[in-house]
Amino acid sequence: MIQATTGLRSNDNAPSIFRIFDITILVITLIIIVSVYGLTFNNNHVMVLTLTLVFFLYLTEAMGLYRKLRLGKFTQRVMVIFASTTLSFLLLTSTLFLIKESEQFSRLVIFSWYIFSLIGFVGWRLIFRHTKRNLYKQGINLRKVAIIGLNPVARTLLREIEKYPELGLEFVGFYDDRDKGRLKGDLSQLKGNVSDALKLAQDGTLDSVYICIPLIAETRIARIIHTLSDSTVNVFMVPDFLLSTLMHGNIGTLGNLDTISVFEEPLSGSKEFYKRSFDIVFSLFVLVLISPILLAIAIAIKATSKGPILFKQDRYGLDGKKIGVHKFRSMKVMENTDKVVQATKNDTRITKVGAFLRKTSLDELPQFFDVLIGKMSVVGPRPHAVAHNEEYRKLVDYYMLRHKVKPGITGWAQINGWRGETDTIEKMEKRVEYDLQYIRNWSLWWDFKIVFMTVFKGFINKNAY
């Protein structure tokens, strides 16, 4: 997505040596631990190492560990390392158990390998981070950055630069041609007009220039870019009106014309593969784990009220296509018409068992079958009744963009408290706001985070009736 930090993100790709360091740590720690325990490194250890490397490289790539140094705080990167390493070893032990090879390996060796690999991953990054910060403090290897245009977008960009000192960017100043009387806020960092910035760029003083001029000033921007072409400076455009409306802002071409995607499928290629594989593995795991609970709920529903155990409701799925979503029946009636009345507090249609199921979200457990067959995802915008969709798409801006991904069992909006009855437009607007934030910034790591948070705060909610 193109936004105020677009330029910053262009330098986020970590060198492949980061992967080499991590692979080396996995290999060396296993060899050392096998030796310490007095064992001989054999073909079995090679098999275990190969499996772990496959799992680790898949998960770290899916979670964006090497692509996304922009994860911001170092603690966030450590959490990604912890999650990917832990899941890799859990997958390893599960695989060994399934192929009945677990008895061939010492649990102590596997556990020690996990712990010391984790220490190694975090350790070398701490050393790297400390070294890089010291170099930046000494003014070594800093990249000088100027911002053309002094407006809210430019100030937002500066805050992003200041928020991430590990990027090694040294802000030189703002440059704007307008009279100071037309500029708002603190002007202490205004260093001159646009011509001054262009001279610095041509003299080789600057490494990067960020243009924060409204896109309506097309002629002015074209002139600035043309002048900057007579230099070796990196030039980045920071759009203004596109900041909150782009769904997946990629630059592409159609014939000989350049295009910018405004509303495009956000999950494609490898992202789609990662999300779908996570959905399959996770839903299978959960269904096996909760099978006794599913059976108990089914018996309770059948024993306390008349009607079927499951209820299939029409919902909009990916690309706004109608799908059937399964839930445990929690009402005495089976409403699936054009006019659906949302459940409210003390709703007489809800059964006693249904009230508990809805309050704890247990009525939604059958949707893991919908995830498994591909109609839904584990994480995504919660699906609304078709009647509600038709109502709110006319009232809430960008509402239908929720359907650029598959609907989910849980979502970013739900764990932030925007679930249950939406009796006001404001509540639905907040839900859509959080849904679109998730879609724009999706990563597999975020899915893991949402699932984890759902366990602790997403099931029970006072707004769910």
Side-chain angles (χ1 to χ4, degrees), residues 379-380 382 409-420 431 434-435 438 446-461:
V379 181
R382 285 294 298 149
I409 295 177
T410 184
W412 185 235
Q414 280 63 44
I415 64 171
N416 282 281
W418 301 104
R419 60 166 291 192
R431 183 182 291 186
Y434 277 87
D435 285 339
Y438 165 77
W446 206 351
D447 276 5
F448 278 110
K449 178 180 177 181
I450 291 172
V451 169
F452 179 79
M453 293 177 71
T454 299
V455 174
F456 293 98
K457 61 185 293 187
F459 284 119
I460 300 177
N461 189 286

Side-chain angles (χ1 to χ4, degrees), residues 111-122:
F111 182 73
S112 300
W113 184 27
Y114 161 69
I115 293 297
F116 283 99
S117 294
L118 198 56
I119 292 172
F121 296 149
V122 177

Side-chain angles (χ1 to χ4, degrees), residues 58-76:
Y58 168 81
L59 288 167
T60 51
E61 183 64 30
M63 293 184 182
L65 179 62
Y66 304 112
R67 295 194 314 269
K68 299 181 180 178
L69 291 181
R70 68 176 178 88
L71 280 171
K73 295 180 181 178
F74 183 74
T75 52
Q76 288 180 283

Side-chain angles (χ1 to χ4, degrees), residues 372-422:
L372 194 59
I373 63 178
K375 292 192 295 184
M376 294 182 65
S377 184
V378 175
V379 181
R382 285 294 298 149
H384 298 155
V386 171
H388 296 150
N389 262 37
E390 296 304 322
E391 176 186 357
Y392 287 113
R393 68 188 299 178
K394 302 171 185 176
L395 303 174
V396 180
D397 290 341
Y398 310 116
Y399 178 89
M400 290 301 290
L401 294 183
R402 301 172 75 250
H403 302 294
K404 299 300 289 183
V405 298
K406 293 178 183 178
I409 295 177
T410 184
W412 185 235
Q414 280 63 44
I415 64 171
N416 282 281
W418 301 104
R419 60 166 291 192
E421 184 184 10
T422 50

Side-chain angles (χ1 to χ4, degrees), residues 10-187:
S10 66
N11 297 313
D12 288 339
N13 291 330
S16 57
I17 195 170
F18 281 26
R19 291 184 178 87
I20 295 174
F21 280 173
D22 288 339
I23 292 171
T24 302
I25 286 171
L26 277 172
V27 174
I28 291 178
T29 50
L30 180 59
I31 293 174
I32 292 175
I33 287 168
V34 168
S35 176
V36 167
Y37 284 104
L39 304 174
T40 302
F41 195 87
N42 54 35
N43 290 336
N44 286 336
H45 294 113
V46 173
M47 178 189 72
V48 166
L49 178 60
T50 302
L51 283 173
T52 306
L53 284 172
V54 170
F55 294 143
F56 181 78
L57 291 175
Y58 168 81
L59 288 167
T60 51
E61 183 64 30
M63 293 184 182
L65 179 62
Y66 304 112
R67 295 194 314 269
K68 299 181 180 178
L69 291 181
R70 68 176 178 88
L71 280 171
K73 295 180 181 178
F74 183 74
T75 52
Q76 288 180 283
R77 291 201 289 275
V78 171
M79 289 172 65
V80 173
I81 293 166
F82 176 80
S84 55
T85 306
T86 302
L87 286 170
S88 297
F89 278 87
L90 285 175
L91 287 171
L92 171 65
T93 54
S94 299
T95 302
L96 293 177
F97 175 78
L98 289 173
I99 64 176
K100 299 181 180 180
E101 292 288 339
S102 56
E103 295 180 357
Q104 303 294 324
F105 301 94
S106 167
R107 296 176 184 176
L108 188 58
V109 168
I110 298 295
F111 182 73
S112 300
W113 184 27
Y114 161 69
I115 293 297
F116 283 99
S117 294
L118 198 56
I119 292 172
F121 296 149
V122 177
W124 83 255
R125 284 174 170 84
L126 280 171
I127 295 171
F128 178 81
R129 179 175 178 246
H130 180 72
T131 302
K132 188 167 65 171
R133 280 193 167 186
N134 284 341
L135 289 174
Y136 290 156
K137 286 180 180 179
Q138 297 172 33
I140 300 173
N141 204 30
L142 287 176
R143 288 169 290 162
K144 296 184 182 296
V145 170
I147 298 177
I148 294 179
L150 181 51
N151 50 45
V153 174
R155 293 187 188 278
T156 300
L157 178 59
L158 177 58
R159 286 195 294 271
E160 292 293 308
I161 292 172
E162 294 172 340
K163 187 190 301 183
Y164 301 108
E166 63 267 29
L167 292 174
L169 302 179
E170 180 183 357
F171 177 63
V172 173
F174 292 112
Y175 295 85
D176 200 305
D177 284 337
R178 292 176 295 173
D179 295 331
K180 291 185 178 181
R182 296 176 57 195
L183 302 176
K184 299 179 181 179
D186 182 15
L187 303 182

Side-chain angles (χ1 to χ4, degrees), residues 111-393:
F111 182 73
S112 300
W113 184 27
Y114 161 69
I115 293 297
F116 283 99
S117 294
L118 198 56
I119 292 172
F121 296 149
V122 177
W124 83 255
R125 284 174 170 84
L126 280 171
I127 295 171
F128 178 81
R129 179 175 178 246
H130 180 72
T131 302
K132 188 167 65 171
R133 280 193 167 186
N134 284 341
L135 289 174
Y136 290 156
K137 286 180 180 179
Q138 297 172 33
I140 300 173
N141 204 30
L142 287 176
R143 288 169 290 162
K144 296 184 182 296
V145 170
I147 298 177
I148 294 179
L150 181 51
N151 50 45
V153 174
R155 293 187 188 278
T156 300
L157 178 59
L158 177 58
R159 286 195 294 271
E160 292 293 308
I161 292 172
E162 294 172 340
K163 187 190 301 183
Y164 301 108
E166 63 267 29
L167 292 174
L169 302 179
E170 180 183 357
F171 177 63
V172 173
F174 292 112
Y175 295 85
D176 200 305
D177 284 337
R178 292 176 295 173
D179 295 331
K180 291 185 178 181
R182 296 176 57 195
L183 302 176
K184 299 179 181 179
D186 182 15
L187 303 182
S188 60
Q189 292 173 303
L190 180 65
K191 301 301 180 182
N193 55 34
V194 175
S195 297
D196 296 326
L198 298 179
K199 289 178 182 177
L200 290 175
Q202 291 174 327
D203 292 343
T205 303
L206 300 177
D207 295 290
S208 299
V209 171
Y210 293 84
I211 302 174
C212 295
I213 297 175
L215 295 181
I216 194 172
E218 180 182 353
T219 303
R220 188 178 169 205
I221 293 172
R223 185 173 66 251
I224 293 172
I225 292 176
H226 182 266
T227 305
L228 289 173
S229 67
D230 186 29
S231 71
T232 58
V233 70
N234 299 314
V235 181
F236 301 98
M237 281 289 303
V238 185
D240 48 357
F241 74 92
L242 293 174
L243 296 184
S244 61
T245 57
L246 286 184
M247 174 57 67
H248 189 56
N250 288 322
I251 296 176
T253 59
L254 179 60
N256 293 320
L257 292 177
D258 292 329
T259 63
I260 297 179
S261 61
V262 178
F263 304 136
E264 186 185 28
E265 178 64 43
L267 302 180
S268 59
S270 61
K271 288 184 178 181
E272 184 179 17
F273 169 74
Y274 289 137
K275 188 164 180 62
R276 181 61 185 145
S277 59
F278 169 74
D279 285 342
I280 293 173
V281 173
F282 187 83
S283 57
L284 272 174
F285 173 77
V286 170
L287 286 171
V288 172
L289 189 67
I290 67 173
S291 54
I293 300 175
L294 295 175
L295 180 60
I297 293 174
I299 294 172
I301 292 172
K302 201 65 178 175
T304 57
S305 63
K306 295 180 180 180
I309 294 170
L310 295 179
F311 175 41
K312 184 178 179 181
Q313 283 185 317
D314 290 335
R315 295 288 189 265
Y316 282 150
L318 181 64
D319 294 329
K321 296 177 181 177
K322 192 176 291 187
I323 61 172
V325 173
H326 292 87
K327 301 176 71 173
F328 279 124
R329 183 175 57 82
S330 59
M331 289 186 173
K332 300 172 185 177
V333 295
M334 301 282 286
E335 292 184 341
N336 191 27
T337 62
D338 291 337
K339 293 184 179 181
V340 178
V341 180
Q342 281 187 303
T344 57
K345 193 173 184 179
N346 301 319
D347 197 315
T348 57
R349 298 171 299 168
I350 301 175
T351 65
K352 291 182 179 180
V353 171
F356 173 75
L357 295 178
R358 296 172 74 96
K359 196 71 175 178
T360 56
S361 298
L362 292 175
D363 62 321
E364 296 169 359
L365 290 181
Q367 290 169 22
F368 280 106
F369 289 105
D370 295 323
V371 172
L372 194 59
I373 63 178
K375 292 192 295 184
M376 294 182 65
S377 184
V378 175
V379 181
R382 285 294 298 149
H384 298 155
V386 171
H388 296 150
N389 262 37
E390 296 304 322
E391 176 186 357
Y392 287 113
R393 68 188 299 178

